[in-house]
Amino acid sequence: MGRSSEIVMAMLLLMAMVKLILVEGNGGLQDCSFNQRKCKSGFDKASGLGHFILVHGAGHGEWNWFRLKPILEAAGYKVTTVQLGTTLTTSLNSTENITFLKYSKPLFDVMKCIDHHKVMLVGHSFGGVSISLATEKFPKKVSVAVYLTALMPDTAHKLSYVVREFSKVPRDWKDSCSFTSRDNSSWFSFGDKFLKSSLYQLCSLEDFALISTLKRPGSSFSNDLDKIQLSEEKYGSVDRVFIVAKDDLAITEDFQREMIANYSVKEVKVIHHSGHMPMLSRPMVLSAHLLEIARNYSSA
C-alpha cells in the first residue's frame, strides 16, 4: 500500500472514530431542541426563594436582562427570561402573520409549564401588555405582576387603550421608521439616534453596541388589542407593583404616574438616573427593588 493510500485510510478511520464518539459515545452531542414551548424536565420545580419571569419590551430581546439575571440568581431566586416575537432580523418577511397573541405566545407557553408554584412576572415597556394578558390567562399562577416603566392596562377599557394614550404623548422619533408588512400590519424600527438619545442615554457604550446589532421590529398591535379586554376577576385580582423610572425619556414619568392613577397598584417604587433601561443602567438598584418585592409578594 502506497503512502497516499495509507493517509487516506487513516483519515477515513479518524472520521469514523469521531462519528462514533459523537453519535454513540458517552460524551456525544444530544439532539438540539430550540422549541421554547417544550416544558423542560424539572422546569416546574420550585427552587430557591421564588421564581422571576422577565419579559422584555418592543424592539428588544431577552438579552436585555443579562446584567440583572445573575444578580437575582445569586440571591437565591429562579429566573426565566422569555424571547417574544419575531426573529432577530429586521426583514419584512419576519413580521408577516404575527398577531399579538403569536408575539406573546412564548410567554404563555412558559406559563403553561408552571403547575406547582407561583411566579413573579416582570414586564418592561411594551412587555407590560404581554404580562397583563398572561396574568389574565393564568391568574392563579402569578403572585405579583411588576411593571418596570411599562405600559399597564386597566379593566375598564380594551387592551389597546393604554397603547393609544401612550401614542398621544409628543416625542421626537428621530431616525426611527415605520413600515407596513405584506399582511398590512403596522411595524416600526428604532433608529440608532433615537435609541442613543432617548432610551440608552444613561447606558454604557457596550449596551448601545448590543442594541445596535440586536434590535428587532416592533408593533403596537392596535387592531389585535382592540379585541381584548382584561377582567377584574382575573387580571384585577393579582397584586401589581409599579417601578417608576423618573428620568425616562421614552415612557415619561408623567405618563407612568397617569397609568398608576388610572388603575391603582399595591405599591410604587422609584429608580433615579436610569433612563428607560434600568436593567442595564442600574441593575443593582433594580435588583434591590425586585428582591424587596419578592420578599413581600412571593409565594415561595
Side-chain angles (χ1 to χ4, degrees), residues 239-258:
D239 289 336
R240 294 177 309 282
V241 175
F242 203 104
I243 301 179
V244 171
K246 282 189 70 67
D247 52 358
D248 191 337
L249 300 180
I251 302 179
T252 63
E253 181 185 1
D254 286 345
F255 189 74
Q256 294 174 63
R257 299 286 183 181
E258 284 180 22

Side-chain angles (χ1 to χ4, degrees), residues 58-77:
H60 289 71
E62 62 179 324
W63 66 267
N64 274 170
W65 307 102
F66 81 98
R67 295 189 195 280
L68 184 70
K69 186 174 187 285
I71 299 174
L72 297 177
E73 289 176 334
Y77 289 84

Side-chain angles (χ1 to χ4, degrees), residues 126-145:
F126 190 75
V129 184
S130 293
I131 70 165
S132 297
L133 187 53
T135 302
E136 173 76 14
K137 287 177 171 289
F138 308 97
K140 294 182 179 179
K141 297 183 180 184
V142 182
S143 60
V144 63

Side-chain angles (χ1 to χ4, degrees), residues 42-54 68-81 114 116-122 141-144 290-300:
F43 178 81
D44 186 42
K45 184 179 179 181
S47 60
L49 301 176
H51 186 178
F52 284 102
I53 295 181
L54 309 178
L68 184 70
K69 186 174 187 285
I71 299 174
L72 297 177
E73 289 176 334
Y77 289 84
K78 182 183 181 72
V79 181
T80 300
T81 60
I114 304 296
H116 300 102
H117 68 282
K118 289 188 175 185
V119 300
M120 295 169 284
L121 286 178
V122 181
K141 297 183 180 184
V142 182
S143 60
V144 63
L290 290 176
L291 292 176
E292 186 177 356
I293 291 169
R295 287 192 293 269
N296 293 334
Y297 298 93
S298 174
S299 62

Side-chain angles (χ1 to χ4, degrees), residues 10-241:
M11 291 179 64
L12 291 174
L13 180 61
L14 179 61
M15 291 172 63
M17 291 176 64
V18 170
K19 182 177 180 181
L20 183 64
I21 292 173
L22 291 176
V23 175
E24 299 180 8
N26 291 332
L29 295 174
Q30 300 178 2
D31 291 336
C32 293
S33 176
F34 300 104
N35 190 347
Q36 194 171 14
R37 285 172 278 179
K38 212 170 184 180
C39 296
K40 297 178 182 178
S41 177
F43 178 81
D44 186 42
K45 184 179 179 181
S47 60
L49 301 176
H51 186 178
F52 284 102
I53 295 181
L54 309 178
V55 182
H56 64 81
H60 289 71
E62 62 179 324
W63 66 267
N64 274 170
W65 307 102
F66 81 98
R67 295 189 195 280
L68 184 70
K69 186 174 187 285
I71 299 174
L72 297 177
E73 289 176 334
Y77 289 84
K78 182 183 181 72
V79 181
T80 300
T81 60
V82 179
Q83 182 64 62
L84 301 179
T86 56
T87 58
L88 282 175
T89 73
T90 52
S91 165
L92 298 186
N93 292 330
S94 68
T95 61
E96 288 183 21
N97 301 315
I98 296 181
T99 64
F100 178 69
L101 291 179
K102 288 182 179 178
Y103 171 83
S104 300
K105 190 174 185 297
L107 171 58
F108 304 153
D109 290 338
V110 168
M111 294 300 295
K112 288 176 183 176
C113 295
I114 304 296
D115 278 327
H116 300 102
H117 68 282
K118 289 188 175 185
V119 300
M120 295 169 284
L121 286 178
V122 181
H124 173 247
S125 195
F126 190 75
V129 184
S130 293
I131 70 165
S132 297
L133 187 53
T135 302
E136 173 76 14
K137 287 177 171 289
F138 308 97
K140 294 182 179 179
K141 297 183 180 184
V142 182
S143 60
V144 63
V146 181
Y147 292 81
L148 174 60
T149 184
L151 298 184
M152 184 179 68
D154 58 32
T155 57
H157 303 88
K158 299 292 186 182
L159 206 53
S160 56
Y161 175 77
V162 68
V163 178
R164 288 206 166 91
E165 290 299 301
F166 169 68
S167 68
K168 295 176 183 178
V169 179
R171 62 180 52 81
D172 182 1
W173 291 101
K174 298 187 183 298
D175 55 339
S176 300
C177 61
S178 63
F179 60 90
T180 301
S181 191
R182 293 176 185 175
D183 61 355
N184 290 322
S185 58
S186 297
W187 291 80
F188 62 83
S189 179
F190 292 132
D192 282 353
K193 291 180 180 178
F194 173 77
L195 287 167
K196 196 166 190 176
S197 64
S198 302
L199 271 65
Y200 283 72
Q201 76 275 16
L202 297 177
C203 295
S204 69
L205 294 176
E206 292 83 359
D207 294 336
F208 177 70
L210 276 176
I211 185 59
S212 295
T213 55
L214 297 178
K215 60 185 177 181
R216 306 149 59 85
S219 175
S220 62
F221 299 103
S222 295
N223 292 335
D224 294 335
L225 300 185
D226 273 339
K227 304 170 186 175
I228 304 172
Q229 186 160 355
L230 306 177
S231 70
E232 195 64 28
E233 295 74 23
K234 294 180 179 179
Y235 166 68
S237 68
V238 176
D239 289 336
R240 294 177 309 282
V241 175

